[in-house]
């Protein structure tokens, strides 16, 4: 076969003579730079730009710098020439792909990542094995307890149960021991991986944009996409000053976290309580059935929730909290201007930060103040002596709907001192939000059992237990102080038991729950007392619990 030798000049001529379709399509690299982010509760929608040069004809622009958690179904791309008056560009195609030829992940981070993943997989296997063994143990016990067999078969079944149950127990103990060792390691590796602040290597996710141009020209690509590697959670600070007429100061904050692989530096940031429209994949969203369910009230004396909701404004007025009358402090104050703009996108609230914000890609929460407001509040002190002789400062807040609150964790401060935290849930359909802001030591309360009037008597076959308490409260303040005292008497849970209140000192009594409420306005230095007494009658053959 003859050998053909081509000079470089001949090769160039041959290449130029080839049809246009035979040439390799030019590719140009670009990197996405995030310019704006809308953060949802469990994801984020990012807007980014990428710059490259489009050749005459068709060009592939390969965009890097994208997060690994990018949702391909949410990608939207537009292209425009940088120079004014340039020809129009035509988008020919958009593709999301993974390129694993990128720079290798640094060893330090890879060790943490692989260790965490291996431990997580092992924990999953052990957890599944434990669940299977527990189900087998339950089934074996059910078979033994429900089996209808004769004495010989029963003995054989019992032997089988003992041997198999012993083996199951031994396996479960080994699994529990292994989980007790492995789970803390997995947690530690995961935490170290999230806290790692060194280079983590390039993301393999690339966006390949193919476009056509009549001339060679610089282009700007505008990208929007959604990633699950980000989110935010609302948090609140509620600050109050005891003994004053100031309102409750609300500091509305957002804890933002992201692990997209690139820091968000000086970007326009919007927080949303809804979901991104593009999550529907470009299709029409479909309504799902919405159910309205009854939320059972939480008994105030049974569980001491730090924050509770009143059933209605009328109940609060009866309790002396909703109006600025003789038993409460009340004085609103103008709110401080918020550093954000709040608006609604349909039913979802959106907060647009007025100043650029930076969020590192470290997976940790970074706090930004969203809004600040002074909540018009009516103050009072509440004490439940049966559970605690400490009085708590409470505030009844009305008109809170205008502050666009979302469910979140709230910290309470009294006179600048942290007093506790609770889960704030404004989603209940009530008009008054009642908050507990912390203990107040300026009212001293005592609950003492009266030995003279607490005794037992036997009449025939019936026992009568008489129980009596005296509750006293002393105001150490130099100003009048409103106080609500909550108590209770037992409620009969059996028809053979009879409970009767014999002394309540004028308390408001709810017979179905046994709750008692006293309202008072204590003058400076004043001490006031209330007497609580009741009788319990029951057959002497019964043994009962009184409290």
């Amino acid at each position: 076969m003859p050998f053909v030798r081509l000079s470089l000049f001949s090769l160039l001529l041959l290449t130029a003579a080839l049809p246009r379709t035979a040439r390799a399509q030019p590719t140009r690299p670009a990197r996405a730079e995030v310019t704006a982010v809308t953060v949802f509760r469990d994801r984020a929608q990012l807007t980014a730009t990428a710059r490259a040069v489009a050749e005459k004809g068709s060009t592939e622009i390969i965009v890097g710098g994208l997060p690994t958690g990018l949702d391909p179904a949410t990608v939207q791309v537009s292209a425009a020439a940088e120079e004014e008056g340039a020809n129009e560009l035509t988008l020919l195609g958009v593709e999301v792909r993974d390129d694993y030829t990128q720079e290798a992940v640094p060893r330090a981070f890879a060790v943490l990542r692989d260790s965490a993943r291996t431990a997580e997989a092992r924990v999953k296997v052990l957890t599944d094995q434990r669940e299977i063994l527990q189900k087998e143990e339950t089934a074996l016990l059910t078979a033994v307890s429900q089996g209808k067999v004769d004495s010989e078969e029963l003995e054989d079944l019992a032997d089988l149960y003992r041997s198999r149950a012993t083996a199951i127990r031994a396996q479960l103990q080994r699994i529990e021991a292994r989980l007790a060792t492995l789970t803390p390691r997995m947690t530690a590796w995961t935490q170290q991986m999230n806290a790692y602040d060194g280079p983590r290597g390039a993301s393999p996710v690339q966006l390949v944009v193919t476009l056509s141009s009549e001339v060679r020209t610089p282009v700007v690509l505008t990208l929007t996409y959604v990633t699950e590697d980000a989110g935010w959670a609302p948090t609140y600070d509620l600050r109050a000053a005891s003994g004053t007429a100031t309102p409750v100061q609300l500091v509305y904050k957002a804890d933002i976290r992201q692990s997209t692989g690139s820091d968000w530096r000086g970007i326009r940031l919007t927080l949303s309580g809804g979901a991104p429209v593009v999550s529907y994949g470009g299709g029409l969203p479909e309504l799902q059935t919405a159910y309205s369910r009854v939320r059972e009230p939480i008994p105030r004396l049974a569980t001491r929730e730090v924050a509770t909701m009143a059933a209605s404004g009328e109940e609060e007025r009866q309790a002396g909290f909703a109006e600025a009358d003789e038993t409460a402090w009340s004085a609103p104050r103008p709110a401080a201007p918020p550093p954000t703009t709040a608006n609604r996108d349909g039913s979802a609230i959106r907060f647009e930060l007025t100043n650029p914000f930076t969020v590192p890609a470290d997976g940790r929460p970074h706090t930004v103040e969203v809004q600040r407001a002074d909540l018009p509040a009516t103050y009072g002190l509440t004490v439940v002596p049966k559970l605690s002789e400490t009085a708590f400062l409470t505030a009844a807040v009305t008109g809170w709907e205008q502050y666009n609150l979302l469910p979140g964790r709230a910290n309470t401060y009294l006179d600048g001192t942290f007093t506790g935290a609770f889960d704030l849930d404004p989603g209940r359909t009530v008009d008054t939000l009642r908050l507990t802001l912390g203990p107040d030591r300026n009212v001293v309360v005592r609950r003492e059992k009266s030995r003279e009037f607490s005794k037992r008597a036997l009449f025939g076959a019936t026992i009568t237990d008489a129980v009596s308490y005296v509750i006293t409260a002393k105001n150490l303040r130099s100003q009048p102080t409103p106080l609500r005292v909550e108590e209770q008497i037992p409620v009969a849970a059996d028809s053979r038991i009879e409970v009767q209140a014999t002394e309540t000192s004028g308390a408001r009594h709810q017979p179905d729950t046994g709750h008692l409420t006293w309202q008072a306005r204590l003058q400076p230095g004043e001490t006031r007392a209330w007497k609580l007494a009741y009788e319990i009658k029951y057959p002497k053959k019964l043994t009962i619990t009184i409290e």
Side-chain angles (χ1 to χ4, degrees):
M1 180 176 180
F3 179 75
V4 179
R5 176 177 295 176
L6 295 176
S7 67
L8 177 59
F9 179 73
S10 300
L11 184 60
L12 290 175
L13 288 177
L14 180 62
T15 303
L18 288 175
R20 185 181 184 91
T21 56
R23 298 183 191 177
Q25 182 173 245
T27 61
R28 296 292 181 264
R31 182 173 180 82
E33 300 293 339
V34 177
T35 58
V37 178
T38 298
V39 186
F40 301 90
R41 301 294 296 276
D42 59 352
R43 66 196 73 185
Q45 179 175 298
L46 282 68
T47 300
T49 58
R51 287 176 165 79
V53 174
E55 301 295 336
K56 182 179 180 180
S58 64
T59 306
E60 272 191 354
I61 300 178
I62 302 177
V63 183
L66 301 171
T68 56
L70 179 145
D71 182 356
T74 66
V75 174
Q76 297 181 8
V77 180
S78 63
E82 279 200 84
E83 299 176 358
E84 293 185 7
N87 70 302
E88 292 186 1
L89 302 171
T90 303
L91 278 175
L92 302 179
V94 176
E95 177 190 3
V96 178
R97 71 185 185 189
D98 292 334
D99 181 7
Y100 292 101
T101 63
Q102 297 288 315
E103 176 187 354
V105 176
R107 176 174 175 77
F109 180 75
V111 169
L112 291 173
R113 181 198 61 192
D114 295 344
S115 298
R117 288 178 178 176
T118 301
E120 183 179 7
R122 185 57 183 157
V123 166
K124 178 71 167 57
V125 171
L126 291 172
T127 303
D128 291 343
Q129 291 177 351
R130 179 178 60 183
E131 183 179 354
I132 292 172
L133 288 171
Q134 289 172 339
K135 289 182 178 179
E136 182 182 355
E137 185 179 39
T138 302
L140 187 61
L141 180 61
T142 302
V144 172
S145 61
Q146 297 181 354
K148 297 180 179 180
V149 295
D150 56 31
S151 57
E152 291 185 3
E153 291 176 332
L154 180 60
E155 185 175 351
D156 293 339
L157 188 60
D159 290 339
L160 175 62
Y161 174 76
R162 279 192 296 269
S163 61
R164 184 57 190 151
T166 301
I168 290 175
R169 282 284 101 196
Q171 288 180 277
L172 285 173
Q173 290 174 1
R174 287 194 293 270
I175 289 175
E176 293 292 350
R178 184 66 181 139
L179 285 173
T181 302
L182 199 57
T183 302
R185 292 180 182 176
M186 178 189 69
T187 303
W189 283 326
T190 302
Q191 291 175 344
Q192 292 176 42
M193 182 180 66
N194 292 334
Y196 180 82
D197 56 2
R200 301 190 181 192
S203 166
V205 178
Q206 293 181 341
L207 185 64
V208 182
V209 180
T210 305
L211 51 82
S212 174
S213 175
E214 296 179 358
V215 296
R216 187 177 189 272
T217 182
V219 298
V220 178
L221 302 179
T222 301
L223 322 172
T224 61
Y225 52 87
V226 172
T227 175
E228 295 182 354
D229 296 332
W232 76 284
T235 61
Y236 306 96
D237 286 345
L238 295 166
R239 298 178 179 273
S242 61
T244 69
T246 59
V248 173
Q249 184 186 66
L250 167 72
V251 181
Y252 195 154
K253 300 181 294 184
D255 286 344
I256 307 168
R257 49 94 188 159
Q258 65 105 345
S259 53
T260 61
S262 300
D263 295 344
W264 301 342
R265 296 191 176 278
I267 60 168
R268 292 181 290 110
L269 193 64
T270 300
L271 305 175
S272 175
V277 175
V278 291
S279 65
Y280 297 113
L284 182 67
E286 295 182 3
L287 287 173
Q288 302 296 324
T289 304
Y291 297 97
S292 178
R293 294 185 172 89
V294 175
R295 177 174 294 193
E296 298 296 335
I298 301 174
R300 284 180 53 81
L301 291 176
T303 58
R304 292 303 300 165
E305 292 289 338
V306 187
T308 57
M309 292 282 191
S312 66
E314 179 62 28
E315 179 179 336
E316 289 298 322
R317 285 187 286 274
Q318 293 176 0
F321 282 85
E323 295 180 349
D325 57 16
E326 63 178 3
T327 61
W329 303 298
S330 180
R333 183 177 65 187
T340 60
T341 301
N343 54 67
R344 287 198 170 272
D345 182 6
S347 61
I349 184 65
R350 292 168 60 93
F351 298 103
E352 297 179 4
L353 274 65
T354 56
N355 298 322
F357 192 68
T358 296
V359 183
D362 55 10
R364 301 176 182 176
H366 296 271
T367 303
V368 59
E369 184 174 318
V370 173
Q371 207 171 28
R372 181 174 295 202
D374 287 338
L375 306 183
T378 304
Y379 289 85
L381 295 181
T382 300
V383 63
V384 188
K386 180 179 178 179
L387 301 179
S388 173
E389 293 181 340
T390 301
F392 286 83
L393 178 64
T394 61
V397 180
T398 57
W400 51 268
E401 299 91 341
Q402 63 180 301
Y403 302 112
N404 305 307
L405 306 185
L406 295 171
R409 196 69 175 164
N411 300 314
T412 56
Y413 297 84
L414 182 62
D415 296 328
T417 301
F418 175 75
T419 57
F422 64 93
D423 292 321
L424 179 63
D425 182 7
R428 303 182 181 184
T429 53
V430 294
D431 59 5
T432 301
L433 175 65
R434 184 177 172 196
L435 305 174
T436 299
L437 299 170
D440 189 300
R441 309 293 181 182
N442 292 307
V443 173
V444 179
V445 179
R446 293 288 181 267
R447 182 182 193 259
E448 297 176 328
K449 194 168 187 178
S450 176
R451 302 297 178 183
E452 180 182 357
F453 298 100
S454 299
K455 53 190 176 181
R456 170 171 294 182
L458 176 62
F459 299 97
T462 301
I463 294 177
T464 300
D465 286 328
V467 181
S468 179
Y469 289 93
V470 175
I471 297 100
T472 59
K474 183 175 182 178
N475 182 18
L476 302 181
R477 295 177 182 275
S478 58
Q479 62 186 50
T481 300
L483 177 67
R484 180 168 72 182
V485 181
E486 297 182 0
E487 260 293 350
Q488 69 177 167
I489 62 175
V491 175
D494 190 292
S495 59
R496 294 170 293 178
I497 301 174
E498 179 184 346
V499 180
Q500 181 179 2
T502 57
E503 177 62 60
T504 61
S505 298
R508 183 162 60 93
H509 183 203
Q510 299 178 0
D512 55 336
T513 62
H515 291 185
L516 302 172
T517 304
W518 291 285
Q519 296 285 347
R521 179 179 174 84
L522 301 181
Q523 297 300 319
E526 179 186 359
T527 299
R528 193 172 300 189
W530 299 270
K531 184 178 180 181
L532 165 64
Y534 56 88
E535 291 182 348
I536 304 179
K537 298 180 180 180
Y538 56 95
K540 66 178 182 180
K541 63 180 180 180
L542 298 181
T543 300
I544 69 168
T545 57
I546 297 179
E547 296 181 298

